[in-house]
Amino acid sequence: MTKKIVTIKDNLQHLWDLQVIDSQIDNIKILKGALPIEVSDLEDEIHGLEIRISKLKDSVEAIDHEISNHQANIKNSQALIERYNKQLDDVKNNREFEALTKEIELQNLEIQLSEKKIREATEGKGMKQEILDSTSEKYDAKIKDLELKKKELDKIIEKTDKEENSLNRKSKKQRQQIPERLLRSYDKIRSRYKNGLAVVTHRRESCGGCFNRIPPQVQIELGMHKEIVACEHCGRVLVDHEIAGVTEDALS
């Protein structure tokens, strides 16, 4: 069986057909708009807020534990003061009296220090709690926003997912018919332009991509299909209407 010879015209046709398919995929992505990116950004932001909320809660719990320890110290000091006061009734000399009095003074100082620490910790807890409350409010708002964005995106995906998957399969199959060097050029050109057009027709003697005028000689060369011609201004591959055929409207 004789292997079919792939001509320049065949390659141009394959490139054009691939462009039509990829442009339809691009149109679906435009329909989705920035929603996928917005959803991803919101998910990242929410994850960051969850970490911050967790750290703030741990900090508040640590302050509560600190306050609890100081309160325990106060109770312990009060118990000691009560015991020392009872012992004062039974002192036998000035030395014992002075020792007990000094212990009572020390425990009172311990109480004052713990009370100071409690006030400072309580003030710090209040500040942390305010930040925690505002962060939690922001988190709740972001969750609601994410739910709305996801619902909106899911509706679009539900409408377009089947079509997009089908087009992706067609694009993959179409790419198999094109030489690797041409595919690399095609992908490179597509990446340079927001509209993703790497292959365009000439319209009214102008490039269908950048709309610059195409010289008459180049127009003649396009119709001969003897070589792949690129626009001298934008670098896009040019095809004539014989190649584009009825599919030209797909890129409009």
Side-chain angles (χ1 to χ4, degrees):
M1 183 176 179
T2 305
K3 186 177 180 180
K4 182 183 176 182
I5 298 174
V6 179
T7 65
I8 295 295
K9 184 177 181 180
D10 291 331
N11 283 329
L12 285 168
Q13 187 66 63
H14 294 326
L15 280 171
W16 172 258
D17 292 343
L18 177 61
Q19 179 67 78
V20 171
I21 295 168
D22 285 346
S23 289
Q24 290 172 330
I25 295 171
D26 291 342
N27 287 336
I28 290 175
K29 290 178 179 177
I30 291 171
L31 179 63
K32 291 179 181 178
L35 278 175
I37 297 174
E38 289 176 11
V39 167
S40 178
D41 287 346
L42 275 171
E43 288 174 339
D44 289 342
E45 190 173 356
I46 286 169
H47 179 64
L49 288 171
E50 286 173 343
I51 293 173
R52 189 179 186 193
I53 287 171
S54 177
K55 288 182 177 179
L56 284 167
K57 285 182 177 179
D58 289 344
S59 182
V60 169
E61 287 178 6
I63 292 174
D64 283 336
H65 183 68
E66 181 186 350
I67 291 173
S68 179
N69 286 338
H70 289 309
Q71 289 172 336
N73 289 338
I74 290 173
K75 287 183 179 180
N76 183 58
S77 292
Q78 288 173 337
L80 288 172
I81 289 171
E82 185 178 351
R83 191 176 76 185
Y84 294 148
N85 279 325
K86 286 181 180 179
Q87 291 176 358
L88 282 174
D89 296 334
D90 299 323
V91 294
K92 297 176 180 178
N93 52 56
N94 288 336
R95 184 178 177 183
E96 289 181 4
F97 180 83
E98 289 175 359
L100 287 172
T101 301
K102 189 173 182 179
E103 286 296 329
I104 291 171
E105 289 176 355
L106 287 173
Q107 293 307 318
N108 277 319
L109 288 174
E110 284 290 331
I111 290 173
Q112 292 174 19
L113 181 60
S114 291
E115 288 174 341
K116 180 183 178 184
K117 293 290 186 182
I118 288 174
R119 288 194 297 272
E120 291 174 350
T122 301
E123 184 179 348
K125 178 185 175 182
M127 294 172 62
K128 293 283 186 182
Q129 190 63 52
E130 284 182 12
I131 297 172
L132 176 58
D133 292 342
S134 64
T135 304
S136 297
E137 287 178 7
K138 186 177 181 181
Y139 173 82
D140 292 339
K142 293 295 181 182
I143 287 291
K144 289 180 181 178
D145 194 15
L146 178 61
E147 289 174 354
L148 291 173
K149 296 287 185 185
K150 278 187 171 181
K151 284 181 181 179
E152 188 178 349
L153 181 60
D154 288 343
K155 286 181 181 179
I156 295 174
I157 289 175
E158 187 179 351
K159 292 179 181 178
T160 61
D161 200 36
K162 186 175 180 180
E163 181 185 0
E164 187 174 8
N165 288 335
S166 175
L167 287 169
N168 281 324
R169 288 192 295 271
K170 287 180 181 179
S171 177
K172 185 176 180 180
K173 185 177 180 180
Q174 186 65 29
R175 291 175 75 90
Q176 293 172 354
Q177 302 183 64
I178 302 171
E180 186 63 33
R181 63 180 181 83
L182 289 182
L183 274 179
R184 285 198 298 269
S185 296
Y186 170 82
D187 290 334
K188 185 176 180 180
I189 297 169
R190 258 177 67 78
S191 68
R192 291 209 306 256
Y193 299 105
K194 288 183 179 180
N195 61 10
L197 292 182
V199 186
V200 295
T201 59
H202 70 283
R203 299 180 178 182
R204 298 176 183 175
E205 302 180 350
S206 299
C207 170
C210 65
F211 308 110
N212 281 293
R213 184 172 177 79
I214 300 173
Q217 181 59 37
V218 175
Q219 294 181 45
I220 294 172
E221 292 173 1
L222 286 174
M224 295 174 67
H225 307 133
K226 288 186 178 181
E227 61 180 316
I228 293 176
V229 179
C231 173
E232 62 181 11
H233 299 284
C234 66
R236 293 180 173 95
V237 175
L238 296 169
V239 297
D240 65 349
H241 297 291
E242 183 181 347
I243 297 293
V246 296
T247 59
E248 185 178 354
D249 290 339
L251 302 188
S252 299

